DNA sequence: TTTTTAATTTGTAGTCATTCCAATTTAAAA
DNA sequence: TTTTAAATTGGAATGACTACAAATTAAAAA
């Protein structure tokens, strides 16, 4: 399914307007696997919208998260990264350059300790891998 | 091994002094499974050290992390939680009350997708579970 | 097409966790 | 006991994110 179309429909169903700024953000996220931050989105928008406000960017991101078009990643303590792929998958972050890549796999349920479910109703689970990416390893000789 | 003793030795080996404030922080973390924040530690210290500074708390926490006596958790986007158990284990956070509990298990290496290791040298992996704890479920009827 | 109206954008100011810095105090070596 | 390098303190700064009020605008209604 097309990300822009789906997201547009979600906004309309929620009674939200399709503004040029919103559409521009939808386009920036379409097929985007770089896990951008609010700052990244803001910078990309300043080309076409020199007067764009940080508040606008944060508002749009918040709406997209609420409507299920974006997922917030907790992998980076410094800032929130956003992922337009809301399907169940995980991430690896390079501790040298900060790059985040997708890790497409499913934690097998039987592997999760049973006593967790006795104390807790688990809604979802995020696995964060930390290490060094190839290009940083080569740079570091 | 005793946490206070080990941590004290690490500080001394690194040429760092054992101040009353530092020892008090070591004691607060000894056997502590509540995953406190800097604020929690600060509050606990104000009883005995009414003039304790946030900078001191943060300095001590940073040294303890560097010396391997504490692990920083990335499970909560709002603030850093600290765990004196630096062994490989994972966490579950209640999205209602914020409580964090330990999840003692090891992700079986063969379960991790091979292509990750082709792009990445993995140093460590943190699994974060999110959901609702028993007491919050009961409160919420 | 024009009008209307509620929603959106914008800029500024505020919040909150965390860090920086310089002056004072202190652990612990001599 | 003296000395000194290191630690503590308080206040100010940083940086991501949020709140708010005024100006603008999407899009429904006329």
């Amino acid at each position: 399914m097309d990300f822009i179309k789906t997201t547009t429909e979600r906004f309309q169903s929620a009674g939200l307007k399709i503004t040029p700024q919103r559409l521009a953000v939808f386009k920036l996220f379409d097929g985007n696997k770089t896990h951008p931050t609010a700052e990244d989105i803001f910078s990309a928008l300043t080309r076409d919208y020199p007067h764009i406000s940080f508040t606008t960017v944060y508002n749009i991101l918040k709406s997209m998260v609420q409507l299920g078009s974006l997922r917030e990643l907790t992998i980076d303590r410094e800032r929130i990264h956003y992922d337009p792929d809301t399907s169940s998958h995980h991430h690896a972050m390079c501790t040298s350059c900060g790059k985040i890549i997708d890790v497409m796999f499913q934690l097998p349920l039987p592997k999760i300790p049973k006593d967790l479910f006795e104390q807790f109703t688990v809604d979802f689970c995020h696995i964060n891998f930390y290490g060094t990416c190839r290009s940083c390893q080569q740079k570091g000789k």
Side-chain angles (χ1 to χ4, degrees), chain A:
Chain A
M1 231 314 208
D2 182 67
F3 179 80
I4 297 172
K5 194 177 174 195
T6 306
T7 305
T8 299
E9 284 170 3
R10 284 176 181 157
F11 268 65
Q12 286 170 334
S13 300
L16 301 176
K17 295 175 180 172
I18 305 303
T19 65
Q21 292 92 332
R22 285 179 174 172
L23 201 54
V25 174
F26 300 171
K27 285 178 185 164
L28 282 172
F29 273 111
D30 186 26
N32 188 329
K33 297 200 175 303
T34 66
H35 312 92
T37 63
E39 169 87 47
D40 295 331
I41 297 299
F42 177 83
S43 302
L45 288 174
T46 45
R47 280 183 251 132
D48 289 335
Y49 301 89
H51 291 286
I52 188 85
S53 153
F54 253 109
T55 304
T56 302
V57 173
Y58 279 113
N59 284 342
I60 296 174
L61 293 174
K62 183 190 267 185
S63 298
M64 291 176 74
V65 169
Q66 282 170 347
L67 295 171
S69 283
L70 283 183
R71 174 173 146 186
E72 296 178 330
L73 305 188
T74 53
I75 197 169
D76 180 0
R77 260 201 285 76
E78 314 264 309
R79 64 204 102 246
I80 300 175
H81 293 256
Y82 295 87
D83 191 339
D85 180 356
T86 56
S87 71
S88 178
H89 67 286
H90 307 289
H91 298 90
M93 184 168 93
C94 175
T95 48
S96 174
C97 69
K99 188 170 65 181
I100 296 171
I101 63 172
D102 288 313
V103 179
M104 308 308 283
F105 96 107
Q106 194 80 32
L107 178 60
L109 270 193
K111 292 295 176 192
I112 303 173
K114 277 193 291 289
D115 61 316
L116 174 60
F117 296 108
E118 286 160 17
Q119 303 173 60
F120 227 82
T121 301
V122 175
D123 293 326
F124 50 91
C125 147
H126 293 165
I127 307 183
N128 297 328
F129 296 92
Y130 297 89
T132 313
C133 70
R134 279 286 159 279
S135 67
C136 281
Q137 280 177 307
Q138 288 165 351
K139 271 180 218 147
K141 195 183 342 100

